[in-house]
Amino acid sequence: MKALRFGRHAAIAVIAAGALALTACGSDNATGNTPAGNQTSAGPKVTGTLTGIGASSTGAAMDAWKAGFAAANPGATVQYSPDGSGAGRKAIIDGSAQFAGSDAYLKDEELASSKAKCGPEGAINIPVYISPIAVAFNVPGITELKLDATTVAKIFRGEIANWNDPAIAALNSGVSLPDLKVTPVNRSDDSGTTTNFTEYLAAAAADVWTDKAAGIWPATLQGENAKGTSGVVKTVTDTPGAVTYADDSAVGGKLGTASIKVGEEFVKISADAAAKAVEAGKAVDGRSATDVAIKLDRKTTAKGAYPVVLVSYHVVCTTYDKQETVDLVKAFESYVVSDAGQKTAADSAKSAPLSSALAEKAVKAIESIKVKS
C-alpha cells in the first residue's frame, strides 16, 4: 500500500504548484491555459476568501488544508463551516457556498438542481479524503472487539440490548464481556457518514437492516443522537455502554473500536484497509468525464479491505461567475489533492492519501473548472 500512499506522479505536484502560483485578481488568460511547468510556488499568490460548507468528518484534515494553503497564500482565506454533508450539498446547489464538503456524492436529482447555479454541466464530485468509519464503543476495560455486519446491524437497531449478548460473545472468545446496556448513538443531522454507514449495513446485512441507506437516521429506531462527528464521539465518551459510528480521525481516548468481518477474516480499522476497499469501487454510471464519484462495493471480500469506509468529496461548480473565484477554487483544490495536501491530511486525520490514478482524475476535474461564458 505504500505506492498508494506516496506513489503520486510528480506531474501532479507540478500542476498543484502551478495552480497555487496563479493570481486571483482576474487574469487575461484562463487558469487552465497557463503552462503548469512554468509555474512555481514562489510566484504570485491567490488572494481572496473561499467559502465552504459541509462534512464534519473531515474536520482535522480541513484544518490542516486551510493552514497549509494559507501558509502558501498569505492573502487567501478558506472559511469552512462543518454543518454536515447534507447542508454542504444544499449550499453548493443554492449558491451560498463556493464548494461543499460531502461524504456522499451528489444524487442524480441534486446534480440536476446544481445546473441553475453551476452552469449547464452542473457541479462535479472530486474525491479528496478516504477514511474508515469506526464502530466505536465505550465498554470499560475493552478496547478491541470483533463484529460482523449482522451483529453491527442488530446493535444499531436495538436488537442486541447488552454487551454480553451471545451474538457478541460468539465472535469474541476469551473476552470478558460485561452485563452492560448497549446504547446506540446516531447522528441527528443529515450526514454523509450516516449515508456510508447505512449503505454498508443495507448491503452487508440486508436481512437485518431493512431500511434504505440514507443520510438521515431512521426515525423508527430508538437510541441517543447528537449533532456532528464531535457530538456523537463526546456522547459515547461520556456514556458507558454507548456505541456509535464516526470517522476514525475523531476516535480516541477511552473508546474502543471494532474489527469487521470481511470474508473469513476480521479486518482491523486502518487507513490502508480503507484504501483497499476504495480500490474495489467503480465509477458511478451516467456521470460526466470530469465527475469522479465512486460507487463502493460494500460486500467486498478483498483481503485486508475494510468496507465501512467513506470517500469525502469536495463538490465544486464546473463554472463560476468570476475569474477570482475560479482561481481560488482551482488553487485550493489543487493543493488538497497534491502530495503535500494529502500527506498533511494523513498526518492530521489518519486518512489514506488518494491513489495515483484517483489523484490524476481529480487533477483533470479541477483543471476543467472555468468562468461562465
Side-chain angles (χ1 to χ4, degrees):
M1 294 306 298
K2 293 188 181 298
L4 177 84
R5 282 181 168 273
F6 304 112
R8 191 76 33 78
H9 293 303
I12 295 171
V14 173
I15 291 169
L20 288 171
L22 294 164
T23 177
C25 298
S27 62
D28 293 332
N29 296 323
T31 3
N33 294 334
T34 307
N38 293 334
Q39 301 289 340
T40 69
S41 58
K45 310 295 184 182
V46 291
T47 59
T49 300
L50 189 63
T51 301
I53 296 173
S56 62
S57 59
T58 57
M62 184 59 71
D63 287 344
W65 287 330
K66 289 193 297 182
F69 185 67
N73 299 269
T77 302
V78 177
Q79 298 176 339
Y80 185 77
S81 183
D83 297 336
S85 295
R89 296 194 304 278
K90 182 177 183 294
I92 194 72
I93 290 169
D94 67 23
S96 57
Q98 292 156 329
F99 75 97
S102 179
D103 297 339
Y105 55 78
L106 291 175
K107 300 174 185 176
D108 289 344
E109 56 269 29
E110 291 174 323
L111 178 58
S113 297
S114 73
K115 295 178 180 180
K117 294 292 183 180
C118 293
E121 296 181 23
I124 53 175
N125 304 276
I126 300 172
V128 296
Y129 178 87
I130 295 170
S131 183
I133 298 171
V135 176
F137 53 84
N138 180 354
V139 179
I142 299 176
T143 58
E144 294 183 10
L145 285 175
K146 296 176 180 178
L147 298 175
D148 58 21
T150 297
T151 306
V152 173
K154 287 181 177 179
I155 286 171
F156 281 91
R157 293 196 76 84
E159 296 177 16
I160 289 179
N162 281 62
W163 283 102
N164 64 351
D165 186 278
I168 300 176
L171 299 171
N172 293 274
S173 177
V175 178
S176 180
L177 296 166
D179 183 9
L180 177 66
K181 178 185 175 183
V182 174
T183 302
V185 181
N186 63 270
R187 290 279 291 269
S188 62
D189 49 329
D190 187 344
S191 158
T193 308
T194 300
T195 298
N196 282 275
F197 185 60
T198 56
E199 275 184 2
Y200 165 71
L201 294 177
D207 55 334
V208 176
W209 195 266
T210 53
D211 294 280
K212 292 183 178 179
I216 297 175
W217 192 256
T220 56
L221 299 183
Q222 296 183 351
E224 301 294 327
N225 63 70
K227 184 177 181 180
T229 301
S230 60
V232 293
V233 170
K234 183 178 187 305
T235 299
V236 174
T237 301
D238 294 343
T239 309
V243 59
T244 194
Y245 55 95
D247 189 275
D248 189 42
S249 66
V251 175
K254 61 184 178 182
L255 299 188
T257 57
S259 296
I260 300 297
K261 192 174 185 181
V262 178
E264 297 303 316
E265 67 173 342
F266 287 90
V267 179
K268 286 189 176 183
I269 190 168
S270 72
D272 282 346
K276 286 181 180 179
V278 173
E279 286 180 352
K282 298 179 180 179
V284 174
D285 292 334
R287 298 302 173 99
S288 70
T290 55
D291 191 298
V292 199
I294 302 167
K295 180 68 174 177
L296 298 171
D297 180 5
R298 301 296 186 179
K299 295 194 290 184
T300 181
T301 56
K303 186 174 178 59
Y306 182 90
V308 197
V309 60
L310 65 83
V311 177
S312 199
Y313 301 87
H314 280 178
V315 185
V316 300
C317 287
T318 50
T319 61
Y320 290 90
D321 290 330
K322 298 179 181 179
Q323 183 70 48
E324 177 184 9
T325 306
V326 170
D327 291 344
L328 273 168
V329 171
K330 293 178 82 166
F332 179 62
E333 299 302 342
S334 293
Y335 168 69
V336 167
V337 303
S338 71
D339 277 335
Q342 289 293 293
K343 186 176 186 305
T344 194
D347 290 345
S348 302
K350 301 187 289 186
S351 58
L354 301 177
S355 68
S356 296
L358 202 52
E360 287 173 0
K361 291 178 181 178
V363 168
K364 288 180 180 178
I366 294 164
E367 288 180 322
S368 73
I369 301 168
K370 58 188 177 183
V371 177
K372 289 180 181 177
S373 56

